[in-house]
């Protein structure tokens, strides 16, 4: 009995390339700066995870790993949208 691997499993088996890891590290650093900025405003956010995933997706795209890139970029964008929704929700709650 066999099954198809999903994009995450394919990336794990093939191993993420150097460019994807570097781009993920850069994305994570940018996300950390955003989180530090929102913390100054009294918000608790996690932009780091979404930015890391998005960065890895962009790096995977540069490595021509299209299935990994599509999956990671999509997940990263969803994470960024969720980050925005969460930040706005916290701001609204603080004003109430």
């Amino acid at each position: 009995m066999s099954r198809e691997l999903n994009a995450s499993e394919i990336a794990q088996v093939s191993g993420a390339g150097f460019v994807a890891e570097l781009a993920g590290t850069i994305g994570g650093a940018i996300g950390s700066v955003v989180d530090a900025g929102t913390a100054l405003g009294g918000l608790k956010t996690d932009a780091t995870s979404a930015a890391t995933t998005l960065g890895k997706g962009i790096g995977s795209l540069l490595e021509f790993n299209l299935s990994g890139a599509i999956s990671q970029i999509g997940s990263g964008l969803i994470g960024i949208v969720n980050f925005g929704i969460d930040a706005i929700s916290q701001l609204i709650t603080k004003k109430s």
Side-chain angles (χ1 to χ4, degrees):
M1 186 172 202
S2 66
R3 66 175 181 87
E4 289 186 28
L5 297 175
N6 64 37
S8 177
E9 292 168 331
I10 291 170
Q12 289 175 355
V13 170
S14 64
F18 174 75
V19 175
E21 288 300 319
L22 178 62
T25 300
I26 293 168
I30 293 168
S32 294
V33 170
V34 171
D35 286 334
T38 57
L40 291 174
L43 303 177
K44 184 175 179 183
T45 60
D46 181 19
T48 304
S49 297
T52 299
T53 303
L54 180 60
K56 284 183 179 181
I58 293 168
S60 293
L61 186 62
L62 295 173
E63 294 174 342
F64 302 107
N65 176 359
L66 297 181
S67 66
I70 291 168
S71 174
Q72 291 173 324
I73 289 172
S75 294
L77 291 175
I78 289 169
I80 289 171
V81 169
N82 288 336
F83 160 83
I85 291 169
D86 182 48
I88 290 168
S89 175
Q90 288 180 53
L91 286 172
I92 290 170
T93 302
K94 285 179 83 174
K95 288 184 178 185
S96 298

